[in-house]
Amino acid sequence: MSLEDAMRQMSGQLELPLYVRGETSNVDGSGEALTATRRNERSGNDDALLMERVVARDNVVAALKRVQKNKGSPGIDGMTVEALRDHLRETWPALREQLLAGTYRPQPVQRQLIPKGDGGGRELGIPTALDRFIQQAVLQVLQPRIDPSFSSHSHGFRPGRRAHDAVCEAHKYIQEGRQWVVDVDLEKFFDRVNHDVMMSKLAKRIADKRMLGLIRRYLSAGIMANGVETERREGTPQGGPLSPLLANVLLDEIDKELEKRGHAFVRYADDCNIYVRSERAGKRVMETLRRLYARLRLRINESKSTVARPWVRKFLGYSFWVDKDGAVKRRIANKALATMKDRVRSITIRHGRSLPAIIADLRSYLVGWKNYFRLDDTHRTFSDLDGWIRHRLRAIQLKHWRNYSTILRELKARGLSAHQAWEVARHTGRWWVGSARTLNRALPIRHFDGLGLPRLAP
């Protein structure tokens, strides 16, 4: 029997609330569940049956498929997402009953530190595969109910919205003449979320007490690092499917207050930029934001937050510039370019791997990078990067040919004269030779096209 068939048998009665389907059987064999359902039918309180929707067959099957598609590292129990399906075949009946009864207890998350470009680190909390599955099932029920109430200026981790929308909205504000930005950076936002404040916001949106209790337990689940579990009193670690939605619920209060005051702003997760027409106005807005965030028990990182011109700041990897005609243009921020070059350098290490293998890794990275930064208006940036990448690959190819005689033979086979091949081969500085015009003729752009290297420039 497939997992889908098993869930159909065990959860089929819960695909819709019982009062909608007109069923006379109860949820768990007791008279209490049926009594509660009839009360909800009379009161129209469908919001109190959210957990029934979480464990409905179609929802849990969709959640399992999503978790398996997203893959991800195992949590503290070592279970992989590939093993999750078989595990659920055995444990789903008991797990379903725990969720419906409000007694399920999540396991601690696995602490994982991701290095950041500034030398610091971003802490992730990796839930077990089972807890990722449950969080995904909860997300699929809550997001359609909560997301429509969010601000249209919020773009992060929302269906049908993306970072490009946020960048384009910021671009529009600057072009309209709001050429000062209040750039706010929150101090360790995901680590500093106050649980009581978060739960008070959720309680205004969710009536099902079991759902609220489950989310509270996910917030307070411990963190496992080096075999030692630490209790968590604040924060919602990045790594679980629910964290982005919870962040949007908490920060929606800031969005609504900014809308009420008529500010032009754009937010993506905890990155919020407010665009104003003068530095003085920006400083007033910054003071207002300090008070608003303090109400949520959040702190602004003063060293990274400021009122400045948009072209000296970055937003989601982009920055802006003004051309000679006064039009505002988008460009890739310097820090994003530096990060990209560091990644390419790490991929194009000149020893140990074949050129086709290196280019395969470059392709998997560059295609996504190009797609994300396709809003760049400078164009030359992409062509310059193309030349720089091919420059590195030519140097790698010379290194792979290893010695003078092999370089001579390979270059002559690619159309260079004996003298031209000698001019290249006699130099030991591979990086300098990599930019020589003669070598470019021997290893032209079409050569790298044939190996599958994507071009960044259109």
Side-chain angles (χ1 to χ4, degrees):
M1 178 185 296
S2 71
L3 177 61
E4 288 82 356
D5 290 338
M7 288 181 171
R8 181 179 297 111
Q9 288 185 6
M10 292 181 283
S11 303
Q13 298 299 318
L14 300 174
E15 292 181 28
L16 293 173
L18 298 183
Y19 66 86
V20 174
R21 299 183 67 241
E23 297 287 338
T24 56
S25 60
N26 61 17
V27 172
D28 59 3
S30 70
E32 296 178 1
L34 180 57
T35 302
T37 300
R38 286 175 174 165
R39 275 202 307 270
N40 289 323
E41 178 181 4
R42 289 194 295 270
S43 65
N45 188 13
D46 186 26
D47 287 344
L49 294 171
L50 293 181
M51 196 59 75
E52 279 72 13
R53 294 184 180 275
V54 168
V55 300
R57 180 184 63 84
D58 289 347
N59 188 59
V60 294
V61 169
L64 177 60
K65 290 179 178 178
R66 172 58 64 181
V67 169
Q68 290 180 320
K69 182 179 179 180
N70 290 345
K71 300 185 184 299
S73 304
I76 64 168
D77 60 358
M79 184 192 299
T80 64
V81 293
E82 291 78 14
L84 180 58
R85 180 178 291 264
D86 289 338
H87 177 76
L88 286 172
R89 283 196 182 100
E90 299 177 3
T91 62
W92 175 244
L95 175 61
R96 171 180 166 274
E97 292 304 320
Q98 289 175 32
L99 291 169
L100 288 173
T103 59
Y104 177 76
R105 293 288 186 274
Q107 296 188 68
V109 298
Q110 179 69 54
R111 182 179 181 267
Q112 183 173 332
L113 194 64
I114 306 298
K116 295 173 66 175
D118 58 5
R122 176 179 290 109
E123 185 175 296
L124 298 185
I126 309 300
T128 64
L130 178 60
D131 280 320
R132 291 207 296 276
F133 159 73
I134 296 173
Q135 286 193 37
Q136 181 63 37
V138 170
L139 177 68
Q140 291 168 182
V141 170
L142 291 184
Q143 192 160 52
R145 304 174 74 88
I146 295 176
D147 188 85
S149 68
F150 291 151
S151 168
S152 62
H153 304 290
S154 167
H155 300 279
F157 307 108
R158 298 184 60 190
R161 293 171 178 266
R162 52 186 181 167
H164 284 175
D165 299 323
V167 173
C168 289
E169 186 175 3
H171 180 221
K172 181 192 72 168
Y173 290 145
I174 300 167
Q175 187 66 68
E176 289 172 350
R178 297 177 175 89
Q179 297 190 352
W180 287 88
V181 60
V182 184
D183 187 353
V184 176
D185 183 271
L186 294 180
E187 190 175 282
K188 296 185 177 180
F189 168 70
F190 284 94
D191 298 333
R192 296 283 170 82
V193 169
N194 182 277
H195 292 176
D196 292 334
V197 173
M198 173 66 78
M199 293 309 302
S200 71
K201 304 302 178 188
L202 289 171
K204 295 176 182 178
R205 298 171 179 267
I206 299 172
D208 192 324
K209 302 298 184 184
R210 298 165 299 176
M211 180 77 78
L212 291 171
L214 179 63
I215 294 174
R216 181 82 192 214
R217 289 191 290 274
Y218 271 120
L219 288 174
S220 58
I223 299 176
M224 186 74 75
N226 301 319
V228 178
E229 181 180 349
T230 304
E231 185 179 1
R232 186 165 73 237
R233 298 181 180 276
E234 62 178 3
T236 169
Q238 299 176 75
L242 267 178
S243 290
L245 178 64
L246 298 182
N248 280 331
V249 168
L250 184 63
L251 295 175
D252 186 58
E253 179 175 316
I254 304 291
D255 297 343
K256 294 299 176 12
E257 188 62 35
L258 292 173
E259 285 180 337
K260 186 170 133 181
R261 294 168 183 255
H263 289 303
F265 73 98
V266 57
R267 183 173 67 79
Y268 191 94
D270 58 323
D271 289 331
C272 185
N273 280 6
I274 302 92
Y275 295 89
V276 296
R277 298 183 185 275
S278 70
E279 184 178 16
R280 183 177 179 182
K283 290 181 177 179
R284 287 199 304 268
V285 172
M286 182 68 84
E287 286 302 317
T288 298
L289 287 170
R290 288 190 179 97
R291 293 193 297 271
L292 292 176
Y293 283 119
R295 284 193 335 211
L296 299 178
R297 300 189 190 179
L298 297 172
R299 291 199 295 268
I300 290 177
N301 187 331
E302 299 293 346
S303 65
K304 295 183 178 180
S305 303
T306 190
V307 178
R309 294 290 194 176
W311 21 94
V312 299
R313 305 296 291 178
K314 63 180 179 67
F315 181 56
L316 301 178
Y318 282 87
S319 189
F320 303 91
W321 57 285
V322 181
D323 68 12
K324 61 182 180 180
D325 298 320
V328 177
K329 302 289 186 179
R330 297 176 293 258
R331 66 176 178 86
I332 305 170
N334 291 335
K335 185 176 180 180
L337 281 174
T339 300
M340 180 266 195
K341 286 191 169 187
D342 285 344
R343 179 68 182 276
V344 170
R345 288 187 187 99
S346 70
I347 294 173
T348 55
I349 295 173
R350 300 186 203 175
H351 57 80
R353 294 194 303 151
S354 68
L355 198 62
I358 291 171
I359 288 177
D361 286 348
L362 281 174
R363 184 168 56 249
S364 65
Y365 172 65
L366 292 176
V367 169
W369 190 89
K370 175 184 177 179
N371 183 58
Y372 181 78
F373 286 107
R374 68 178 185 270
L375 298 181
D376 178 86
D377 292 319
T378 60
H379 299 303
R380 183 174 174 179
T381 299
F382 289 123
S383 59
D384 288 348
L385 287 171
D386 278 335
W388 177 74
I389 292 169
R390 288 192 295 267
H391 187 145
R392 293 191 64 83
L393 294 176
R394 290 185 181 105
I396 290 170
Q397 183 62 83
L398 287 179
K399 184 71 173 179
H400 286 176
W401 285 336
R402 293 182 182 278
N403 57 56
Y404 176 84
S405 60
T406 303
I407 293 173
L408 278 179
R409 183 181 69 249
E410 293 292 344
L411 292 179
K412 286 192 287 186
R414 286 163 172 77
L416 294 189
S417 68
H419 178 73
Q420 289 171 331
W422 173 78
E423 281 289 336
V424 173
R426 72 189 181 94
H427 290 285
T428 57
R430 304 301 187 208
W431 180 246
W432 179 86
V433 172
S435 63
R437 290 183 180 180
T438 50
L439 183 58
N440 291 1
R441 287 198 294 271
L443 297 173
I445 295 174
R446 65 177 179 274
H447 171 74
F448 296 105
D449 289 343
L451 290 174
L453 179 70
R455 297 192 196 187
L456 299 176

